Amino acid sequence: MKKETYKMGKLGKYEYMKKYTLIRAFLPDTRKATLPNINIMLRLYKSVFLKPDEGTGGHGIYKITRSKNSFILRTGSNSRTFSSLNDLYTKVQRNLVRDKYIVQEGIDLLKHNDRPFDIRVMVQKNRKGSLDVTGIIGRQAKRNKIVTNYHSGGTPLPVDTLLKSHLNEESRKKYIQAIEKLGKDASIVLGKNYRSKRAFGVDIAVDHKMNPWILEINTKPDMSIFNTLKNKTMYNRIRRYSENKG
């Protein structure tokens, strides 16, 4: 089996995936986190996220929101207001340069009980080397936090539960199937480069118009989040596939 062509951070994965029309429309605008790029993005979008290019687990993430006469910087559950983007950038510049950050279009996440959530789709290779969706789970942000990651205090919940206040039962079933297909399609695309990887964790945001967005694809996804669910069917399936018994 061929090994991956080359390893990529978030920006590299974005640039690679946007070449494919199958998933291009589902990718939020992502660029290198330079001051000019952040400035341009904040003119295009109400908010943006600054993320370490190779970071995981929701650590080191900032959210910048543009208001009429100021810019609000949030990290964790802390918030600070700046009168200019230059002042804000000076505050975070050292981290951005040291850790190589990307700036990503802010998606206004759908909420459940007034707390935003996103969705993780687990996609794994079966014995024949084809990709199957083996799990799907929601991650609800801790109150007042900007990230949903389990290890940053997010709450894992069944996707059906999180969508109940937005869609009826029949619509939820179809929507979850569509999210699973998007996760699989994205994994097929990225898998063309990461040929030796057997699992992909696709993080998908849903906005208030019910549009799905591919936030990130992890090539070393953590399966432990699925073990938090009462129903162990998905977790057991994921473990079986990870042992190459799928």
Side-chain angles (χ1 to χ4, degrees):
M1 180 182 287
K2 290 182 182 178
K3 291 194 172 182
E4 49 266 321
T5 311
Y6 54 93
K7 293 181 180 179
M8 300 179 284
K10 294 181 180 69
L11 186 59
K13 289 174 184 173
Y14 167 78
E15 296 287 353
Y16 179 85
M17 291 190 295
K18 75 174 185 178
K19 297 173 187 173
Y20 292 84
T21 53
L22 183 66
I23 59 169
R24 184 187 300 150
F26 303 101
L27 300 172
D29 192 353
T30 304
R31 311 181 191 191
K32 188 176 179 181
T34 63
L35 179 57
N37 281 346
I38 296 169
N39 191 19
I40 290 168
M41 298 265 283
L42 281 168
R43 290 179 182 181
L44 293 172
Y45 314 110
K46 188 178 178 183
S47 67
V48 298
F49 282 86
L50 305 179
K51 302 178 179 181
D53 190 45
E54 295 185 359
T56 56
H59 303 295
I61 293 178
Y62 301 95
K63 182 180 182 180
I64 304 174
T65 305
R66 170 177 50 83
S67 61
K68 195 173 183 180
N69 297 309
S70 62
F71 298 88
I72 301 164
L73 177 70
R74 293 186 62 198
T75 179
S77 54
N78 301 316
S79 179
R80 186 172 170 185
T81 301
F82 295 84
S83 57
S84 74
L85 183 59
N86 281 358
D87 289 346
L88 184 154
Y89 186 77
T90 300
K91 173 70 178 174
V92 298
Q93 182 179 11
R94 185 181 295 176
N95 291 345
L96 303 196
V97 173
R98 183 190 64 206
D99 296 331
K100 295 183 180 178
Y101 268 64
I102 57 108
V103 54
Q104 187 177 73
E105 171 188 351
I107 304 301
D108 195 11
L109 295 179
L110 208 59
K111 294 181 179 180
H112 173 70
N113 291 339
D114 208 33
R115 287 161 57 192
F117 67 88
D118 63 12
I119 297 167
R120 161 65 63 90
V121 180
M122 182 71 102
V123 183
Q124 294 172 278
K125 284 183 180 176
N126 57 31
R127 287 179 178 178
K128 295 178 181 178
S130 300
L131 287 166
D132 293 333
V133 174
T134 53
I136 182 170
I137 192 169
R139 307 179 305 178
Q140 188 175 31
K142 193 174 181 179
R143 198 165 296 282
N144 297 321
K145 278 218 171 186
I146 61 170
V147 296
T148 60
N149 302 66
Y150 175 44
H151 297 293
S152 296
T155 305
L157 288 167
V159 177
D160 190 69
T161 299
L162 294 168
L163 292 175
K164 267 184 182 173
S165 56
H166 303 282
L167 298 169
N168 62 37
E169 187 175 358
E170 187 179 344
S171 297
R172 287 198 306 274
K173 191 176 290 186
K174 288 179 180 177
Y175 194 81
I176 290 170
Q177 287 173 349
I179 293 290
E180 289 178 342
K181 182 182 184 302
L182 180 58
K184 183 175 178 177
D185 287 345
S187 299
I188 289 170
V189 165
L190 195 62
K192 294 176 188 294
N193 182 73
Y194 287 89
R195 296 178 184 275
S196 67
K197 297 296 183 184
R198 298 198 59 82
F200 299 91
V202 186
D203 294 339
I204 296 175
V206 179
D207 66 23
H208 287 268
K209 294 180 180 178
M210 300 305 294
N211 298 314
W213 298 88
I214 301 165
L215 295 179
E216 186 179 343
I217 303 182
N218 296 276
T219 54
K220 293 181 181 178
D222 179 15
M223 69 170 75
S224 65
I225 186 174
F226 289 91
N227 196 28
T228 63
L229 297 177
K230 281 185 179 180
N231 186 326
K232 303 298 179 185
T233 304
M234 281 190 284
Y235 178 67
N236 291 334
R237 183 190 306 134
I238 289 164
R239 282 191 60 186
R240 194 168 68 244
Y241 269 67
S242 70
E243 294 164 1
N244 206 15
K245 297 176 182 176

